[in-house]
Amino acid sequence: MRALVTGAAGFIGSHLSEALLQRGDQVVAIDNLATGSLRNLSAVRSWPAFRFIQADVCDSQALERLCDPPFDVIFHLAAAVGVRTILDHPLASLNTNLRGTENALAAAAPGSTLIVASTSEVYGKNESGPLSEQADRILGAGELARWWYAVAKMADEALALASHREGKVKALVVRLFNTVGPRQTGRYGMVLPNLVRQALAGEPLTVYGDGEQTRCFTYVEDTVKAMIALAESPASPGLIFNIGQSTEISINALARRVLELTGSRSKIVHVSYQEAYGDSYEDMRRRVPDCSLLERTIGFMPTNRLDEAIRAVAAEIQARGEGECASA
Ligand code: UDP
């Protein structure tokens, strides 16, 4: 297929672009390089079926020009991501996440399939157990900036589904659950690259709160495999899909596993949320996906590959020479 990937120089976008090219698809990749990096695309930049364009999804005209002739599939991943980004730059993040999706939907042709990347953040404080796509979304107080990312993504989801319902484009939504793997940067607050870097550098591993909050970490290779399969499924447009795996791990246990697999002798320290993020933060204790709809639709569901992810992230950091004190 002929695919457009927005946010292609980012963590997930670069893995997705690679996976599409390896299948023989043609990929036009756009990114404004605000948080993405061309280094993430170095393996594919010279491929004849690949074209990179530095552009911003907030530039509606650039997107419209790009979408003529229309793409078979548009993967809309460009967004301001990470708790840190949202807390530090709330207005710019909201603008990017709302306008970018609006523009992508407006530029897409009716025959195109458009996949909007959303997030498990939209479930907010619904900690009731495996969350199906039908689960209630429970957000905290309106003044807490932490929830504004979820607010924007909820609006994006509604825009996508409404555009689909009104026949504008074949749109579907994917809610990604804590995707991890190489190329994810810890700069915007994500826990796994932070802990691995700290372990390799011999620094204390910073676990926020009491560390008993749990997450389900999903290997990026599985995430992009599911996204591509959904893009090809005639049953997926108009729907929302969780993409994740359901083995939970507490952040305390994650930190211990990082120490084991890297052979690091670093200590684990607990840092208060207030110290880590300031006042505008509230955490969720638990977030587990129910991916049965995904499995019924594409015959595949991600599995627990956390050890593989930790090893791959550690190998990448060591290759960049950032883990100076690694002992194993
Ligand atoms: N976290 C942590 N140490 C860090 C970064 C994050 O303990 O250096 C915690 C964070 O408070 C949350 C969990 O790890 O409870 C996952 O954080 P992340 O930002 O990766 O994802 P999300 O909060 O969106 O699930």
Side-chain angles (χ1 to χ4, degrees):
M1 52 193 182
R2 202 173 153 264
L4 174 68
V5 179
T6 75
F11 160 50
I12 302 175
S14 63
H15 285 280
L16 175 66
S17 300
E18 262 181 43
L20 289 165
L21 288 162
Q22 276 157 6
R23 282 163 26 108
D25 297 321
Q26 283 181 45
V27 176
V28 175
I30 71 163
D31 202 297
N32 67 357
L33 301 180
T35 55
S37 162
L38 282 179
R39 186 169 64 179
N40 290 338
L41 293 166
S42 54
V44 293
R45 276 203 75 186
S46 59
W47 288 40
F50 181 75
R51 192 171 141 224
F52 177 79
I53 296 163
Q54 185 170 351
D56 198 313
V57 282
C58 290
D59 181 348
S60 58
Q61 287 175 352
L63 267 186
E64 267 163 33
R65 277 195 304 273
L66 259 179
C67 289
D68 183 19
F71 290 92
D72 301 314
V73 181
I74 300 172
F75 294 92
H76 177 51
L77 273 69
V81 293
V83 173
R84 190 79 288 143
T85 314
I86 310 308
L87 295 179
D88 292 348
H89 307 286
L91 189 55
S93 305
L94 282 164
N95 275 335
T96 301
N97 294 352
L98 291 166
R99 272 199 212 136
T101 304
E102 221 180 325
N103 289 346
L105 286 162
S112 299
T113 298
L114 196 152
I115 297 172
V116 172
S118 183
T119 168
S120 55
E121 279 271 320
V122 299
Y123 293 109
K125 295 196 278 187
N126 186 337
E127 294 156 358
S128 61
L131 296 158
S132 84
E133 293 81 356
Q134 310 307 317
D136 289 338
R137 296 159 302 169
I138 306 173
L139 299 192
E143 288 93 351
L144 292 176
R146 194 253 148 85
W147 301 114
W148 297 349
Y149 178 56
V151 166
K153 285 293 177 180
M154 279 180 177
D156 289 347
E157 292 187 354
L159 281 168
L161 297 187
S163 302
H164 176 82
R165 224 166 267 184
E166 296 193 12
K168 171 77 189 70
V169 59
K170 292 185 280 179
L172 61 127
V173 170
V174 290
R175 290 182 179 156
L176 308 183
F177 281 72
N178 290 81
T179 312
V180 290
R183 298 182 202 146
Q184 182 175 37
T185 163
R187 220 178 310 148
Y188 311 111
M190 277 76 167
V191 66
L192 187 64
N194 268 338
L195 296 185
V196 174
R197 190 203 58 75
Q198 290 164 339
L200 292 173
E203 296 171 11
L205 274 61
T206 52
V207 169
Y208 299 160
D210 67 4
E212 285 306 301
Q213 68 273 31
T214 67
R215 294 292 187 272
C216 296
F217 294 96
T218 309
Y219 198 49
V220 64
E221 208 177 281
D222 287 346
T223 306
V224 304
K225 182 176 169 186
M227 287 174 74
I228 293 170
L230 286 173
E232 291 192 310
S233 164
S236 63
L239 297 177
I240 298 177
F241 294 88
N242 288 335
I243 301 184
Q245 61 82 35
S246 55
T247 306
E248 282 173 86
I249 185 167
S250 71
I251 304 304
N252 283 329
L254 175 71
R256 289 193 296 269
R257 194 70 189 136
V258 167
L259 292 180
E260 269 166 44
L261 292 182
T262 56
S264 166
R265 292 198 192 90
S266 290
K267 290 191 175 60
I268 296 173
V269 294
H270 287 89
V271 176
S272 71
Y273 288 124
Q274 159 77 30
E275 221 178 306
Y277 298 115
D279 287 331
S280 226
Y281 187 77
E282 188 169 54
D283 206 5
M284 63 278 290
R285 298 296 288 172
R286 184 174 189 219
R287 196 158 66 191
V288 187
D290 172 343
C291 289
S292 46
L293 176 64
L294 181 72
E295 192 174 30
R296 282 201 305 280
T297 309
I298 62 170
F300 165 78
M301 178 157 71
T303 51
N304 184 10
R305 296 172 68 184
L306 182 59
D307 283 0
E308 201 179 335
I310 294 172
R311 287 196 180 96
V313 170
E316 187 198 30
I317 292 174
Q318 280 176 315
R320 284 206 308 260
E322 289 170 18
E324 299 305 331
C325 304
S327 56

Short mmCIF file of all heavy atoms in Angstrom, two decimals, residues 91-151:
data_model
loop_
_atom_site.label_atom_id
_atom_site.label_comp_id
_atom_site.label_asym_id
_atom_site.label_seq_id
_atom_site.Cartn_x
_atom_site.Cartn_y
_atom_site.Cartn_z
N LEU A 91 -0.17 24.50 26.39
CA LEU A 91 -0.93 25.10 25.29
C LEU A 91 -0.44 24.59 23.93
O LEU A 91 -1.24 24.20 23.07
CB LEU A 91 -0.83 26.63 25.36
CG LEU A 91 -1.73 27.39 24.41
CD1 LEU A 91 -3.19 26.97 24.59
CD2 LEU A 91 -1.59 28.89 24.61
N ALA A 92 0.88 24.58 23.75
CA ALA A 92 1.44 24.08 22.48
C ALA A 92 1.05 22.62 22.27
O ALA A 92 0.73 22.19 21.15
CB ALA A 92 2.96 24.24 22.49
N SER A 93 1.04 21.84 23.35
CA SER A 93 0.69 20.42 23.23
C SER A 93 -0.76 20.26 22.80
O SER A 93 -1.08 19.46 21.92
CB SER A 93 0.89 19.70 24.56
OG SER A 93 2.19 19.88 25.01
N LEU A 94 -1.64 21.03 23.43
CA LEU A 94 -3.06 20.95 23.07
C LEU A 94 -3.26 21.35 21.61
O LEU A 94 -3.99 20.69 20.86
CB LEU A 94 -3.89 21.87 23.97
CG LEU A 94 -4.18 21.33 25.37
CD1 LEU A 94 -4.65 22.44 26.30
CD2 LEU A 94 -5.23 20.23 25.30
N ASN A 95 -2.60 22.43 21.20
CA ASN A 95 -2.72 22.89 19.81
C ASN A 95 -2.29 21.82 18.83
O ASN A 95 -2.99 21.51 17.86
CB ASN A 95 -1.87 24.14 19.58
CG ASN A 95 -2.62 25.38 19.99
OD1 ASN A 95 -3.85 25.40 19.99
ND2 ASN A 95 -1.88 26.41 20.36
N THR A 96 -1.12 21.24 19.07
CA THR A 96 -0.59 20.21 18.16
C THR A 96 -1.55 19.02 18.11
O THR A 96 -1.87 18.51 17.03
CB THR A 96 0.79 19.71 18.66
OG1 THR A 96 1.65 20.82 18.73
CG2 THR A 96 1.36 18.65 17.75
N ASN A 97 -2.01 18.60 19.28
CA ASN A 97 -2.79 17.37 19.32
C ASN A 97 -4.19 17.55 18.78
O ASN A 97 -4.77 16.61 18.21
CB ASN A 97 -2.79 16.81 20.75
CG ASN A 97 -1.40 16.36 21.17
OD1 ASN A 97 -0.48 16.34 20.34
ND2 ASN A 97 -1.22 16.02 22.41
N LEU A 98 -4.75 18.75 18.91
CA LEU A 98 -6.09 18.98 18.36
C LEU A 98 -6.04 19.35 16.88
O LEU A 98 -6.69 18.74 16.04
CB LEU A 98 -6.79 20.08 19.16
CG LEU A 98 -7.15 19.68 20.60
CD1 LEU A 98 -7.53 20.90 21.44
CD2 LEU A 98 -8.29 18.66 20.61
N ARG A 99 -5.21 20.37 16.57
CA ARG A 99 -5.16 20.83 15.17
C ARG A 99 -4.60 19.79 14.23
O ARG A 99 -5.05 19.63 13.10
CB ARG A 99 -4.30 22.09 15.06
CG ARG A 99 -5.10 23.29 15.30
CD ARG A 99 -4.40 24.52 14.75
NE ARG A 99 -4.77 25.61 15.61
CZ ARG A 99 -3.94 26.53 16.08
NH1 ARG A 99 -2.67 26.50 15.73
NH2 ARG A 99 -4.37 27.47 16.86
N GLY A 100 -3.58 19.06 14.71
CA GLY A 100 -2.95 18.06 13.85
C GLY A 100 -3.96 17.03 13.39
O GLY A 100 -4.02 16.68 12.20
N THR A 101 -4.78 16.56 14.30
CA THR A 101 -5.77 15.54 13.95
C THR A 101 -6.86 16.12 13.05
O THR A 101 -7.27 15.50 12.06
CB THR A 101 -6.40 14.94 15.22
OG1 THR A 101 -5.33 14.44 16.03
CG2 THR A 101 -7.36 13.81 14.91
N GLU A 102 -7.28 17.33 13.38
CA GLU A 102 -8.29 18.01 12.55
C GLU A 102 -7.77 18.13 11.10
O GLU A 102 -8.48 17.83 10.15
CB GLU A 102 -8.49 19.41 13.13
CG GLU A 102 -9.91 19.87 13.18
CD GLU A 102 -9.99 21.27 13.77
OE1 GLU A 102 -9.19 21.60 14.68
OE2 GLU A 102 -10.85 22.02 13.30
N ASN A 103 -6.51 18.55 10.98
CA ASN A 103 -5.92 18.73 9.65
C ASN A 103 -5.76 17.40 8.91
O ASN A 103 -6.01 17.32 7.70
CB ASN A 103 -4.54 19.40 9.76
CG ASN A 103 -4.66 20.86 10.16
OD1 ASN A 103 -5.75 21.44 10.10
ND2 ASN A 103 -3.55 21.45 10.58
N ALA A 104 -5.34 16.38 9.63
CA ALA A 104 -5.16 15.07 8.98
C ALA A 104 -6.50 14.55 8.47
O ALA A 104 -6.61 14.03 7.34
CB ALA A 104 -4.54 14.07 9.96
N LEU A 105 -7.54 14.73 9.26
CA LEU A 105 -8.88 14.27 8.84
C LEU A 105 -9.38 15.09 7.66
O LEU A 105 -10.01 14.56 6.74
CB LEU A 105 -9.86 14.38 10.01
CG LEU A 105 -9.68 13.32 11.11
CD1 LEU A 105 -10.36 13.75 12.40
CD2 LEU A 105 -10.23 11.96 10.65
N ALA A 106 -9.09 16.39 7.68
CA ALA A 106 -9.56 17.24 6.58
C ALA A 106 -8.83 16.93 5.28
O ALA A 106 -9.41 16.99 4.19
CB ALA A 106 -9.36 18.71 6.96
N ALA A 107 -7.56 16.57 5.39
CA ALA A 107 -6.75 16.34 4.18
C ALA A 107 -7.01 14.96 3.57
O ALA A 107 -6.80 14.75 2.37
CB ALA A 107 -5.26 16.47 4.52
N ALA A 108 -7.47 14.01 4.38
CA ALA A 108 -7.63 12.63 3.89
C ALA A 108 -8.78 12.54 2.88
O ALA A 108 -9.81 13.20 3.04
CB ALA A 108 -7.91 11.71 5.07
N ALA A 109 -8.58 11.70 1.87
CA ALA A 109 -9.63 11.49 0.86
C ALA A 109 -10.64 10.47 1.41
O ALA A 109 -10.30 9.65 2.26
CB ALA A 109 -9.00 10.97 -0.41
N PRO A 110 -11.90 10.51 0.91
CA PRO A 110 -12.92 9.58 1.42
C PRO A 110 -12.52 8.11 1.30
O PRO A 110 -12.91 7.29 2.12
CB PRO A 110 -14.15 9.88 0.56
CG PRO A 110 -13.92 11.26 0.04
CD PRO A 110 -12.45 11.45 -0.07
N GLY A 111 -11.71 7.79 0.29
CA GLY A 111 -11.33 6.39 0.10
C GLY A 111 -10.17 5.95 0.98
O GLY A 111 -9.84 4.76 1.03
N SER A 112 -9.52 6.90 1.65
CA SER A 112 -8.36 6.55 2.47
C SER A 112 -8.79 6.01 3.82
O SER A 112 -9.83 6.38 4.35
CB SER A 112 -7.49 7.79 2.74
OG SER A 112 -7.01 8.34 1.55
N THR A 113 -7.94 5.14 4.37
CA THR A 113 -8.13 4.70 5.76
C THR A 113 -7.22 5.56 6.62
O THR A 113 -6.04 5.73 6.30
CB THR A 113 -7.71 3.21 5.90
OG1 THR A 113 -8.56 2.43 5.05
CG2 THR A 113 -7.85 2.73 7.33
N LEU A 114 -7.79 6.13 7.69
CA LEU A 114 -6.98 6.98 8.56
C LEU A 114 -6.98 6.42 9.98
O LEU A 114 -8.03 6.21 10.57
CB LEU A 114 -7.53 8.41 8.57
CG LEU A 114 -6.57 9.46 9.13
CD1 LEU A 114 -6.85 10.82 8.50
CD2 LEU A 114 -6.63 9.59 10.63
N ILE A 115 -5.77 6.14 10.48
CA ILE A 115 -5.64 5.58 11.82
C ILE A 115 -5.14 6.67 12.76
O ILE A 115 -4.07 7.22 12.56
CB ILE A 115 -4.65 4.41 11.80
CG1 ILE A 115 -5.26 3.33 10.91
CG2 ILE A 115 -4.40 3.86 13.20
CD1 ILE A 115 -4.36 2.21 10.62
N VAL A 116 -5.95 6.99 13.74
CA VAL A 116 -5.58 8.02 14.70
C VAL A 116 -5.01 7.35 15.95
O VAL A 116 -5.67 6.51 16.57
CB VAL A 116 -6.81 8.89 15.07
CG1 VAL A 116 -6.48 9.84 16.21
CG2 VAL A 116 -7.27 9.69 13.85
N ALA A 117 -3.78 7.72 16.29
CA ALA A 117 -3.16 7.15 17.49
C ALA A 117 -3.66 7.88 18.72
O ALA A 117 -3.47 9.08 18.87
CB ALA A 117 -1.64 7.26 17.40
N SER A 118 -4.35 7.15 19.58
CA SER A 118 -4.78 7.70 20.85
C SER A 118 -4.03 6.97 21.97
O SER A 118 -2.97 6.37 21.70
CB SER A 118 -6.30 7.55 20.98
OG SER A 118 -6.75 8.14 22.18
N THR A 119 -4.53 7.02 23.14
CA THR A 119 -3.74 6.58 24.29
C THR A 119 -4.61 5.97 25.39
O THR A 119 -5.77 6.36 25.55
CB THR A 119 -2.99 7.80 24.88
OG1 THR A 119 -2.45 7.44 26.14
CG2 THR A 119 -3.91 8.98 25.10
N SER A 120 -4.01 5.09 26.15
CA SER A 120 -4.71 4.51 27.30
C SER A 120 -4.95 5.57 28.38
O SER A 120 -5.73 5.35 29.30
CB SER A 120 -3.89 3.36 27.88
OG SER A 120 -2.59 3.79 28.18
N GLU A 121 -4.29 6.72 28.25
CA GLU A 121 -4.54 7.84 29.19
C GLU A 121 -6.01 8.22 29.23
O GLU A 121 -6.48 8.75 30.22
CB GLU A 121 -3.75 9.08 28.74
CG GLU A 121 -2.31 9.10 29.12
CD GLU A 121 -2.07 9.73 30.48
OE1 GLU A 121 -2.72 10.73 30.83
OE2 GLU A 121 -1.24 9.18 31.22
N VAL A 122 -6.73 7.98 28.12
CA VAL A 122 -8.13 8.42 28.10
C VAL A 122 -8.98 7.66 29.14
O VAL A 122 -10.02 8.15 29.54
CB VAL A 122 -8.80 8.30 26.70
CG1 VAL A 122 -8.07 9.16 25.68
CG2 VAL A 122 -8.91 6.86 26.25
N TYR A 123 -8.53 6.48 29.58
CA TYR A 123 -9.30 5.78 30.61
C TYR A 123 -9.13 6.45 31.97
O TYR A 123 -9.90 6.19 32.89
CB TYR A 123 -8.86 4.30 30.70
CG TYR A 123 -9.21 3.51 29.46
CD1 TYR A 123 -8.22 3.07 28.58
CD2 TYR A 123 -10.54 3.22 29.17
CE1 TYR A 123 -8.55 2.35 27.45
CE2 TYR A 123 -10.87 2.49 28.03
CZ TYR A 123 -9.86 2.06 27.17
OH TYR A 123 -10.19 1.36 26.04
N GLY A 124 -8.09 7.28 32.08
CA GLY A 124 -7.88 8.06 33.28
C GLY A 124 -7.87 7.20 34.52
O GLY A 124 -7.11 6.24 34.62
N LYS A 125 -8.74 7.56 35.46
CA LYS A 125 -8.72 6.88 36.76
C LYS A 125 -9.67 5.69 36.82
O LYS A 125 -10.04 5.26 37.91
CB LYS A 125 -9.04 7.89 37.85
CG LYS A 125 -7.95 8.95 37.94
CD LYS A 125 -8.02 9.74 39.22
CE LYS A 125 -9.05 10.83 39.13
NZ LYS A 125 -9.03 11.69 40.32
N ASN A 126 -10.05 5.17 35.71
CA ASN A 126 -10.81 3.92 35.72
C ASN A 126 -9.81 2.79 35.93
O ASN A 126 -9.10 2.38 35.03
CB ASN A 126 -11.57 3.72 34.41
CG ASN A 126 -12.47 2.50 34.46
OD1 ASN A 126 -12.23 1.60 35.26
ND2 ASN A 126 -13.49 2.47 33.63
N GLU A 127 -9.74 2.31 37.16
CA GLU A 127 -8.73 1.31 37.53
C GLU A 127 -9.39 -0.03 37.79
O GLU A 127 -8.91 -0.85 38.57
CB GLU A 127 -7.96 1.80 38.77
CG GLU A 127 -7.14 3.05 38.46
CD GLU A 127 -6.85 3.90 39.69
OE1 GLU A 127 -7.31 3.56 40.79
OE2 GLU A 127 -6.16 4.93 39.53
N SER A 128 -10.52 -0.27 37.10
CA SER A 128 -11.38 -1.39 37.47
C SER A 128 -10.89 -2.75 36.99
O SER A 128 -11.52 -3.75 37.30
CB SER A 128 -12.78 -1.14 36.93
OG SER A 128 -12.72 -1.04 35.53
N GLY A 129 -9.80 -2.82 36.26
CA GLY A 129 -9.38 -4.13 35.78
C GLY A 129 -9.21 -4.06 34.28
O GLY A 129 -9.08 -2.96 33.75
N PRO A 130 -9.19 -5.20 33.58
CA PRO A 130 -9.00 -5.12 32.13
C PRO A 130 -10.04 -4.19 31.50
O PRO A 130 -11.24 -4.36 31.67
CB PRO A 130 -9.18 -6.57 31.69
CG PRO A 130 -8.78 -7.36 32.89
CD PRO A 130 -9.22 -6.57 34.07
N LEU A 131 -9.53 -3.16 30.82
CA LEU A 131 -10.39 -2.11 30.28
C LEU A 131 -10.72 -2.42 28.83
O LEU A 131 -9.82 -2.47 27.99
CB LEU A 131 -9.66 -0.77 30.36
CG LEU A 131 -9.33 -0.27 31.77
CD1 LEU A 131 -8.18 0.73 31.73
CD2 LEU A 131 -10.57 0.34 32.40
N SER A 132 -12.00 -2.63 28.55
CA SER A 132 -12.37 -2.79 27.14
C SER A 132 -12.60 -1.39 26.58
O SER A 132 -12.67 -0.40 27.32
CB SER A 132 -13.65 -3.63 27.02
OG SER A 132 -14.76 -2.79 27.19
N GLU A 133 -12.74 -1.33 25.28
CA GLU A 133 -12.94 -0.04 24.61
C GLU A 133 -14.24 0.61 25.06
O GLU A 133 -14.45 1.81 24.89
CB GLU A 133 -12.94 -0.22 23.10
CG GLU A 133 -11.60 -0.64 22.50
CD GLU A 133 -11.31 -2.14 22.61
OE1 GLU A 133 -12.12 -2.88 23.23
OE2 GLU A 133 -10.27 -2.58 22.08
N GLN A 134 -15.14 -0.19 25.64
CA GLN A 134 -16.44 0.35 26.10
C GLN A 134 -16.35 0.92 27.52
O GLN A 134 -17.34 1.48 28.02
CB GLN A 134 -17.51 -0.76 26.10
CG GLN A 134 -17.61 -1.54 24.81
CD GLN A 134 -17.78 -0.62 23.61
OE1 GLN A 134 -18.55 0.33 23.67
NE2 GLN A 134 -17.06 -0.90 22.54
N ALA A 135 -15.21 0.77 28.18
CA ALA A 135 -15.10 1.21 29.58
C ALA A 135 -15.26 2.72 29.71
O ALA A 135 -14.93 3.47 28.79
CB ALA A 135 -13.73 0.79 30.13
N ASP A 136 -15.77 3.15 30.86
CA ASP A 136 -15.93 4.58 31.11
C ASP A 136 -14.56 5.26 31.19
O ASP A 136 -13.60 4.68 31.67
CB ASP A 136 -16.65 4.80 32.45
CG ASP A 136 -18.11 4.41 32.37
OD1 ASP A 136 -18.65 4.39 31.24
OD2 ASP A 136 -18.70 4.13 33.42
N ARG A 137 -14.54 6.51 30.77
CA ARG A 137 -13.32 7.30 30.87
C ARG A 137 -13.50 8.24 32.06
O ARG A 137 -14.45 9.00 32.10
CB ARG A 137 -13.09 8.08 29.57
CG ARG A 137 -12.86 7.14 28.39
CD ARG A 137 -13.15 7.82 27.08
NE ARG A 137 -14.51 8.33 27.03
CZ ARG A 137 -14.98 9.15 26.10
NH1 ARG A 137 -14.20 9.54 25.13
NH2 ARG A 137 -16.22 9.56 26.13
N ILE A 138 -12.59 8.15 33.02
CA ILE A 138 -12.77 8.89 34.28
C ILE A 138 -11.55 9.80 34.49
O ILE A 138 -10.48 9.32 34.87
CB ILE A 138 -12.91 7.92 35.48
CG1 ILE A 138 -14.05 6.91 35.21
CG2 ILE A 138 -13.15 8.71 36.76
CD1 ILE A 138 -14.16 5.81 36.25
N LEU A 139 -11.73 11.07 34.21
CA LEU A 139 -10.60 11.99 34.37
C LEU A 139 -10.70 12.76 35.67
O LEU A 139 -11.78 12.95 36.21
CB LEU A 139 -10.56 12.98 33.20
CG LEU A 139 -10.39 12.39 31.81
CD1 LEU A 139 -10.06 13.50 30.82
CD2 LEU A 139 -9.30 11.34 31.76
N GLY A 140 -9.53 13.22 36.15
CA GLY A 140 -9.49 14.02 37.37
C GLY A 140 -9.90 15.46 37.10
O GLY A 140 -10.43 15.78 36.03
N ALA A 141 -9.63 16.32 38.09
CA ALA A 141 -10.10 17.71 38.04
C ALA A 141 -9.58 18.46 36.81
O ALA A 141 -8.48 18.20 36.32
CB ALA A 141 -9.64 18.43 39.30
N GLY A 142 -10.40 19.36 36.32
CA GLY A 142 -10.08 20.13 35.11
C GLY A 142 -8.83 20.98 35.22
O GLY A 142 -8.18 21.29 34.22
N GLU A 143 -8.48 21.39 36.44
CA GLU A 143 -7.28 22.24 36.61
C GLU A 143 -5.99 21.43 36.52
O GLU A 143 -4.91 22.01 36.41
CB GLU A 143 -7.27 22.94 37.99
CG GLU A 143 -8.28 24.05 38.13
CD GLU A 143 -9.58 23.53 38.72
OE1 GLU A 143 -9.74 22.29 38.86
OE2 GLU A 143 -10.46 24.36 39.03
N LEU A 144 -6.07 20.12 36.63
CA LEU A 144 -4.84 19.31 36.63
C LEU A 144 -4.36 19.09 35.20
O LEU A 144 -4.99 18.36 34.42
CB LEU A 144 -5.09 17.97 37.32
CG LEU A 144 -5.37 18.04 38.83
CD1 LEU A 144 -5.70 16.66 39.38
CD2 LEU A 144 -4.16 18.63 39.56
N ALA A 145 -3.22 19.70 34.87
CA ALA A 145 -2.72 19.66 33.48
C ALA A 145 -2.43 18.24 33.01
O ALA A 145 -2.45 17.95 31.82
CB ALA A 145 -1.46 20.52 33.37
N ARG A 146 -2.18 17.34 33.92
CA ARG A 146 -1.88 15.96 33.53
C ARG A 146 -2.98 15.38 32.64
O ARG A 146 -2.71 14.60 31.73
CB ARG A 146 -1.75 15.11 34.80
CG ARG A 146 -1.11 13.76 34.56
CD ARG A 146 -2.10 12.63 34.62
NE ARG A 146 -1.72 11.56 33.72
CZ ARG A 146 -0.88 10.59 34.00
NH1 ARG A 146 -0.29 10.52 35.13
NH2 ARG A 146 -0.62 9.67 33.11
N TRP A 147 -4.22 15.79 32.90
CA TRP A 147 -5.34 15.19 32.17
C TRP A 147 -5.58 15.86 30.81
O TRP A 147 -6.38 15.38 30.02
CB TRP A 147 -6.61 15.23 33.02
CG TRP A 147 -6.43 14.48 34.30
CD1 TRP A 147 -6.43 14.99 35.56
CD2 TRP A 147 -6.16 13.07 34.44
NE1 TRP A 147 -6.18 14.01 36.48
CE2 TRP A 147 -6.01 12.82 35.82
CE3 TRP A 147 -6.02 12.01 33.53
CZ2 TRP A 147 -5.75 11.54 36.32
CZ3 TRP A 147 -5.76 10.75 34.03
CH2 TRP A 147 -5.62 10.52 35.40
N TRP A 148 -4.90 16.97 30.55
CA TRP A 148 -5.19 17.69 29.31
C TRP A 148 -4.76 16.90 28.08
O TRP A 148 -5.30 17.10 26.99
CB TRP A 148 -4.54 19.08 29.33
CG TRP A 148 -5.08 19.94 30.43
CD1 TRP A 148 -6.18 19.69 31.21
CD2 TRP A 148 -4.55 21.18 30.89
NE1 TRP A 148 -6.37 20.69 32.11
CE2 TRP A 148 -5.38 21.63 31.96
CE3 TRP A 148 -3.46 21.97 30.52
CZ2 TRP A 148 -5.15 22.83 32.63
CZ3 TRP A 148 -3.24 23.16 31.20
CH2 TRP A 148 -4.07 23.57 32.23
N TYR A 149 -3.76 16.06 28.25
CA TYR A 149 -3.38 15.19 27.12
C TYR A 149 -4.55 14.26 26.77
O TYR A 149 -4.93 14.13 25.61
CB TYR A 149 -2.14 14.37 27.53
CG TYR A 149 -1.63 13.40 26.50
CD1 TYR A 149 -1.30 13.83 25.22
CD2 TYR A 149 -1.46 12.05 26.81
CE1 TYR A 149 -0.83 12.93 24.28
CE2 TYR A 149 -0.99 11.16 25.89
CZ TYR A 149 -0.68 11.60 24.61
OH TYR A 149 -0.21 10.71 23.69
N ALA A 150 -5.13 13.68 27.82
CA ALA A 150 -6.28 12.79 27.60
C ALA A 150 -7.46 13.56 27.00
O ALA A 150 -8.17 13.06 26.13
CB ALA A 150 -6.68 12.13 28.92
N VAL A 151 -7.64 14.79 27.46
CA VAL A 151 -8.74 15.63 26.95
C VAL A 151 -8.59 15.82 25.44
O VAL A 151 -9.53 15.64 24.67
CB VAL A 151 -8.76 16.99 27.69
CG1 VAL A 151 -9.66 17.99 26.97
CG2 VAL A 151 -9.22 16.80 29.13
#
